[in-house]
Amino acid sequence: MKNKIEIQKLYKAFGEKKVLQGIDLDIYEGEIISIVGKSGTGKSVILKNLIGLMKPDTGRIIVDYEDFTQSSGDNFYRIQQKFGVLFQMAALFDSMNIYDNVAFGLRRKKKDESFIKKRVPELLEQVGLKDIETKMPSEISGGMQKRVGLARALAMNPQIMLYDEPTTGVDPITGSAVDKLILKMNNAFNITSIVITHDLESAFRISDRIAMLHEGNLIFLGTPDQYKNSNDSVIRQFSAGRANPSEQTEIQ
Ligand SMILES: Nc1ncnc2c1ncn2[C@@H]1O[C@H](COP(=O)(O)OP(=O)(O)O)[C@@H](O)[C@H]1O
Ligand SMILES: [Mg+2]
């Protein structure tokens, strides 16, 4: 199996607070891998390091066998373009309608308006949306906002999609629709998918592999079945926490 990304000995601290303490993880081309763990363990910090929004203290991120961490200028930008992200709250621009939100990156890339006019409805259709171009983000549901955020990311033809807590804050029906979309994107475009989540049920449904982050280290890496059968006490506790909603509340 070909490695798409290699995370090597990644360390990141904020002052005294050591968040990542030597993360090593190879991510295979075309897989769906979920990174799970409690709130505040550093899942979003991994995501930000992966896409170059944050630099690690030490360690490297290798993408397609190229060192992203040490790259700069045009090279950095070229590698960063391989990533698409669906941020936690979809992060749409509130003052732009849906059309302009989806068109945003295409316009930055100086695509023709005639191309954009054709492309935006196609992208919306891929995420199951129609005829909402003139609506504002505040006029559509949270689940629809996530779809629009995904359409906006897909517009840039990413090779790797990162999803930060895609099912957090949406009802279970929307959550399972989001799961299906992640699977669809993965299948249709062979996009390598990294899902950051504390929603184990969702991780079980969609993942080829699950990695568990705990106190700065990856303490588990394996298939959903291996995860379910693990006797590790931290994993058992985390799984049991699913039954206790107070353990899962994430305030963001
Ligand atoms: N830019 C930052 N400055 C200082 N501390 C940060 C920063 N980003 C994250 N942290 C801290 O790092 C820890 C992990 O955060 P995060 O990755 O957001 O957790 P989660 O696993 O919930 O996504 C938290 O304690 C958070 O307060
Ligand atoms: Mg987070």
Side-chain angles (χ1 to χ4, degrees), residues 14 17 19 37-46 48 54 88 164-165 196 198 213 250 252:
F14 299 101
K17 192 169 172 60
V19 177
K38 281 193 298 201
S39 201
T41 43
K43 300 184 298 298
S44 294
V45 169
I46 293 183
K48 286 174 193 157
M54 199 182 257
Q88 220 153 338
D164 197 2
E165 303 281 359
I196 307 274
H198 64 230
L213 184 65
E250 175 143 322
Q252 300 280 348

Short mmCIF file of all heavy atoms in Angstrom, two decimals, residues 14 17 19 37-46 48 54 88 164-165 196 198 213 250 252, ligand 1:
data_model
loop_
_atom_site.label_atom_id
_atom_site.label_comp_id
_atom_site.label_asym_id
_atom_site.label_seq_id
_atom_site.Cartn_x
_atom_site.Cartn_y
_atom_site.Cartn_z
N PHE A 14 2.37 23.89 23.86
CA PHE A 14 2.02 25.31 24.02
C PHE A 14 2.48 25.69 25.41
O PHE A 14 1.85 25.30 26.40
CB PHE A 14 0.52 25.52 23.86
CG PHE A 14 0.01 25.13 22.50
CD1 PHE A 14 -0.65 23.91 22.33
CD2 PHE A 14 0.19 25.94 21.40
CE1 PHE A 14 -1.11 23.53 21.08
CE2 PHE A 14 -0.27 25.57 20.15
CZ PHE A 14 -0.92 24.36 19.99
N LYS A 17 2.34 23.20 28.28
CA LYS A 17 1.41 22.14 27.94
C LYS A 17 1.88 21.33 26.73
O LYS A 17 1.89 21.81 25.60
CB LYS A 17 0.03 22.75 27.64
CG LYS A 17 -1.03 21.71 27.57
CD LYS A 17 -2.42 22.33 27.55
CE LYS A 17 -3.48 21.29 27.29
NZ LYS A 17 -3.57 20.22 28.26
N VAL A 19 1.24 18.89 24.08
CA VAL A 19 0.03 18.36 23.45
C VAL A 19 0.35 17.10 22.64
O VAL A 19 -0.23 16.05 22.87
CB VAL A 19 -0.68 19.43 22.60
CG1 VAL A 19 -1.90 18.83 21.90
CG2 VAL A 19 -1.11 20.60 23.48
N GLY A 37 -10.34 10.35 20.04
CA GLY A 37 -9.77 10.66 21.34
C GLY A 37 -10.62 11.71 22.02
O GLY A 37 -11.44 12.37 21.39
N LYS A 38 -10.39 11.83 23.32
CA LYS A 38 -11.18 12.77 24.13
C LYS A 38 -11.02 14.20 23.64
O LYS A 38 -10.05 14.53 22.98
CB LYS A 38 -10.71 12.71 25.59
CG LYS A 38 -11.24 11.53 26.36
CD LYS A 38 -11.00 11.73 27.85
CE LYS A 38 -9.53 11.81 28.19
NZ LYS A 38 -9.23 11.51 29.59
N SER A 39 -11.97 15.01 24.06
CA SER A 39 -11.91 16.43 23.78
C SER A 39 -10.66 17.03 24.42
O SER A 39 -10.31 16.68 25.55
CB SER A 39 -13.15 17.04 24.40
OG SER A 39 -13.43 18.25 23.81
N GLY A 40 -9.95 17.86 23.68
CA GLY A 40 -8.78 18.54 24.25
C GLY A 40 -7.49 17.74 24.20
O GLY A 40 -6.48 18.14 24.78
N THR A 41 -7.49 16.58 23.51
CA THR A 41 -6.26 15.78 23.46
C THR A 41 -5.31 16.19 22.34
O THR A 41 -4.20 15.68 22.29
CB THR A 41 -6.54 14.27 23.22
OG1 THR A 41 -7.54 14.16 22.23
CG2 THR A 41 -6.94 13.56 24.46
N GLY A 42 -5.77 17.03 21.43
CA GLY A 42 -4.85 17.47 20.38
C GLY A 42 -5.21 17.01 18.98
O GLY A 42 -4.38 17.08 18.07
N LYS A 43 -6.45 16.59 18.79
CA LYS A 43 -6.86 16.12 17.45
C LYS A 43 -6.81 17.27 16.44
O LYS A 43 -6.28 17.12 15.35
CB LYS A 43 -8.27 15.51 17.52
CG LYS A 43 -8.38 14.32 18.47
CD LYS A 43 -9.74 13.67 18.44
CE LYS A 43 -10.90 14.55 18.86
NZ LYS A 43 -10.83 15.03 20.26
N SER A 44 -7.37 18.41 16.84
CA SER A 44 -7.36 19.55 15.91
C SER A 44 -5.95 20.07 15.70
O SER A 44 -5.63 20.58 14.62
CB SER A 44 -8.28 20.67 16.42
OG SER A 44 -9.62 20.24 16.42
N VAL A 45 -5.10 19.93 16.72
CA VAL A 45 -3.70 20.35 16.57
C VAL A 45 -3.01 19.47 15.51
O VAL A 45 -2.25 19.98 14.68
CB VAL A 45 -2.95 20.30 17.93
CG1 VAL A 45 -1.45 20.47 17.73
CG2 VAL A 45 -3.48 21.40 18.85
N ILE A 46 -3.30 18.19 15.49
CA ILE A 46 -2.75 17.31 14.45
C ILE A 46 -3.22 17.81 13.08
O ILE A 46 -2.42 17.96 12.16
CB ILE A 46 -3.18 15.84 14.64
CG1 ILE A 46 -2.53 15.25 15.90
CG2 ILE A 46 -2.80 14.99 13.41
CD1 ILE A 46 -2.84 13.78 16.12
N LYS A 48 -4.19 20.76 12.14
CA LYS A 48 -3.56 22.04 11.73
C LYS A 48 -2.10 21.83 11.31
O LYS A 48 -1.62 22.49 10.39
CB LYS A 48 -3.65 23.05 12.87
CG LYS A 48 -5.05 23.61 13.02
CD LYS A 48 -5.19 24.50 14.24
CE LYS A 48 -6.65 24.77 14.53
NZ LYS A 48 -6.87 25.13 15.94
N MET A 54 -0.10 25.18 11.19
CA MET A 54 0.68 25.24 12.42
C MET A 54 1.95 24.45 12.16
O MET A 54 1.92 23.43 11.46
CB MET A 54 -0.15 24.57 13.53
CG MET A 54 0.23 24.89 14.93
SD MET A 54 -0.85 23.93 16.04
CE MET A 54 -2.00 25.17 16.57
N GLN A 88 -14.80 22.36 11.60
CA GLN A 88 -15.81 21.94 12.56
C GLN A 88 -17.19 22.58 12.34
O GLN A 88 -18.18 21.89 12.31
CB GLN A 88 -15.31 22.26 13.97
CG GLN A 88 -15.62 21.18 14.95
CD GLN A 88 -14.62 21.16 16.10
OE1 GLN A 88 -13.51 21.64 15.99
NE2 GLN A 88 -15.01 20.59 17.20
N ASP A 164 -12.95 17.78 10.37
CA ASP A 164 -12.81 18.00 11.81
C ASP A 164 -14.17 17.91 12.48
O ASP A 164 -15.03 18.77 12.27
CB ASP A 164 -12.17 19.37 12.08
CG ASP A 164 -11.62 19.47 13.51
OD1 ASP A 164 -11.70 18.47 14.26
OD2 ASP A 164 -11.11 20.55 13.88
N GLU A 165 -14.38 16.84 13.23
CA GLU A 165 -15.63 16.61 13.95
C GLU A 165 -16.85 16.80 13.05
O GLU A 165 -17.75 17.59 13.36
CB GLU A 165 -15.74 17.57 15.15
CG GLU A 165 -14.60 17.48 16.14
CD GLU A 165 -14.70 16.29 17.09
OE1 GLU A 165 -15.68 15.52 17.00
OE2 GLU A 165 -13.78 16.13 17.91
N ILE A 196 -11.33 13.46 11.92
CA ILE A 196 -11.02 13.74 13.31
C ILE A 196 -12.34 13.72 14.06
O ILE A 196 -13.25 14.47 13.69
CB ILE A 196 -10.40 15.16 13.43
CG1 ILE A 196 -9.23 15.34 12.49
CG2 ILE A 196 -10.12 15.53 14.87
CD1 ILE A 196 -7.93 14.89 13.02
N HIS A 198 -14.75 12.49 17.86
CA HIS A 198 -14.89 11.72 19.08
C HIS A 198 -16.15 10.87 19.01
O HIS A 198 -16.57 10.28 20.00
CB HIS A 198 -14.83 12.60 20.34
CG HIS A 198 -15.95 13.57 20.46
ND1 HIS A 198 -15.74 14.89 20.72
CD2 HIS A 198 -17.27 13.41 20.35
CE1 HIS A 198 -16.91 15.50 20.76
NE2 HIS A 198 -17.85 14.62 20.54
N LEU A 213 -5.80 8.78 19.92
CA LEU A 213 -4.86 9.70 20.56
C LEU A 213 -5.21 9.82 22.04
O LEU A 213 -6.38 10.03 22.40
CB LEU A 213 -5.00 11.08 19.88
CG LEU A 213 -4.06 12.19 20.32
CD1 LEU A 213 -2.62 11.85 19.97
CD2 LEU A 213 -4.46 13.51 19.65
N GLU A 250 -18.81 18.39 23.84
CA GLU A 250 -17.65 19.13 23.38
C GLU A 250 -18.07 20.58 23.15
O GLU A 250 -18.95 20.87 22.35
CB GLU A 250 -17.11 18.53 22.07
CG GLU A 250 -15.99 19.35 21.51
CD GLU A 250 -14.91 18.49 20.89
OE1 GLU A 250 -14.62 17.41 21.45
OE2 GLU A 250 -14.36 18.90 19.87
N GLN A 252 -17.23 23.98 21.69
CA GLN A 252 -16.28 24.60 20.74
C GLN A 252 -16.79 25.96 20.34
O GLN A 252 -17.94 26.11 20.04
CB GLN A 252 -16.13 23.75 19.49
CG GLN A 252 -15.61 22.36 19.77
CD GLN A 252 -14.11 22.30 19.97
OE1 GLN A 252 -13.38 23.25 19.69
NE2 GLN A 252 -13.63 21.18 20.47
N1 LIG B 1 -3.07 27.88 19.39
C1 LIG B 1 -3.08 27.34 20.61
N2 LIG B 1 -2.48 27.96 21.65
C2 LIG B 1 -2.46 27.41 22.88
N3 LIG B 1 -3.01 26.23 23.18
C3 LIG B 1 -3.62 25.55 22.20
C4 LIG B 1 -3.70 26.07 20.86
N4 LIG B 1 -4.36 25.18 20.09
C5 LIG B 1 -4.68 24.16 20.89
N5 LIG B 1 -4.27 24.38 22.16
C6 LIG B 1 -4.42 23.45 23.30
O1 LIG B 1 -4.05 22.17 22.87
C7 LIG B 1 -4.88 21.17 23.43
C8 LIG B 1 -5.48 20.33 22.35
O2 LIG B 1 -6.41 21.09 21.60
P1 LIG B 1 -7.24 20.53 20.36
O3 LIG B 1 -6.30 19.94 19.37
O4 LIG B 1 -8.12 21.62 19.89
O5 LIG B 1 -8.09 19.37 21.05
P2 LIG B 1 -9.18 18.39 20.37
O6 LIG B 1 -8.65 17.01 20.55
O7 LIG B 1 -10.44 18.59 21.17
O8 LIG B 1 -9.34 18.80 18.95
C9 LIG B 1 -5.91 21.92 24.27
O9 LIG B 1 -5.49 21.91 25.60
C10 LIG B 1 -5.86 23.32 23.72
O10 LIG B 1 -6.22 24.25 24.70
#
